[in-house]
Amino acid sequence: MKNNIRVERAIKNITQADLADQVGVSRQTINTIESNKYVPSTVLALKIARIFGKPVEEVFILEEED
Amino acid sequence: MQKILHYVQNDNLVFLTNACVLTGILRFRITKNKMSNIFDICKVCFTFGKLNFTSMKSRFLFPYKSRFIGYILIFAYFPVMIAKKIFYHGYMDHGGHITLPDNPSLLDANHIFNVIATLVVMVGLLLVGFSKEKFEDEQIIQLRLDSLQWTMYFTFFLYMLAVIFTNSIDLVHIVGINLWMLLVFFIIRFRWVIFRLNQSLKAEKGIS
């Protein structure tokens, strides 16, 4: 699974720390999600998508091997 | 008489009696047509009374600050450990038989001081191993569970090595080591993973 969090963040002009605060996780978690080291739970994915005001599919994208 | 005593001391027999009593209870419940009772008990035992796993909140963890109390307790044990290494030469003398003195000195296994010191270090390890992180989130929970699994594999691997290389003679030692080994491995591995996590954030910052 890949994601557009970094791009979306740039569009909204918020830092990893801001996003982390808003969804209630640590900065490390946002960082590892962005670098595809950690797959968030459904709840967290929905929360992140809600911050960006987009459906989850536009932020998180399934890949071939998933 | 001695033969009976020998068998009573044998753990297998105790286990068997326990198992018999347990199955007896289970049968009793089944014949009373209350199958659900057993499952209720199992549910409570295996899921800590929680049936849905939708909430990602971590359960049964000590508060964050109790970790430092744990570290203090562990360090308080260090002098005892060193004293034991220097002054105490063990109680396994007569060909592997354990003999405990009737009038135990301070460092003997059956002296109340030694019992309490062991308990203190175990409580310390428990507090360090299972205290909350400063910022507890779903990734931390994941890493904690991963570390527990890793610890289980690693210690089991060590048991197998121990069985191979000691011909199962030193199993008493393994039990003794087991008092702290599982938790120590878990703590080291969990701390290491958390450390790596924080490092990755720092590296990221360095780039951008």
Side-chain angles (χ1 to χ4, degrees), chain B residues 84 88 90-91 98-101 104-116 118:
Chain B
K84 263 184 137 176
Y88 191 61
Y91 43 83
I98 302 168
T99 48
L100 290 173
S105 66
L106 208 59
L107 291 176
D108 275 321
N110 53 348
H111 193 280
I112 187 78
F113 172 76
N114 194 41
V115 173
I116 289 173
T118 312

Side-chain angles (χ1 to χ4, degrees), chain A residues 1-2 60-64 66:
Chain A
M1 191 182 80
K2 57 187 173 128
F60 298 94
I61 302 111
L62 275 178
E63 283 175 308
E64 278 299 308
D66 286 327

Side-chain angles (χ1 to χ4, degrees), chain B residues 149-160:
Chain B
Q149 192 184 19
W150 181 91
T151 313
M152 215 57 219
Y153 281 141
F154 190 68
T155 44
F156 210 82
F157 176 69
L158 286 185
Y159 294 158
M160 291 199 279

Side-chain angles (χ1 to χ4, degrees), chain B residues 155-175:
Chain B
T155 44
F156 210 82
F157 176 69
L158 286 185
Y159 294 158
M160 291 199 279
L161 283 187
V163 169
I164 292 167
F165 288 110
T166 67
N167 298 323
S168 312
I169 293 169
D170 281 345
L171 285 180
V172 178
H173 279 303
I174 295 175
V175 172

Side-chain angles (χ1 to χ4, degrees), chain A residues 6 26 28-29 32 38 41, chain B residues 135 137-139 198 201 204:
Chain A
R6 198 157 293 187
S26 64
Q28 285 90 327
T29 302
T32 43
Y38 176 68
S41 70
Chain B
F135 201 104
D137 68 5
E138 55 173 63
Q139 195 184 16
N198 294 337
L201 192 68
E204 180 89 358

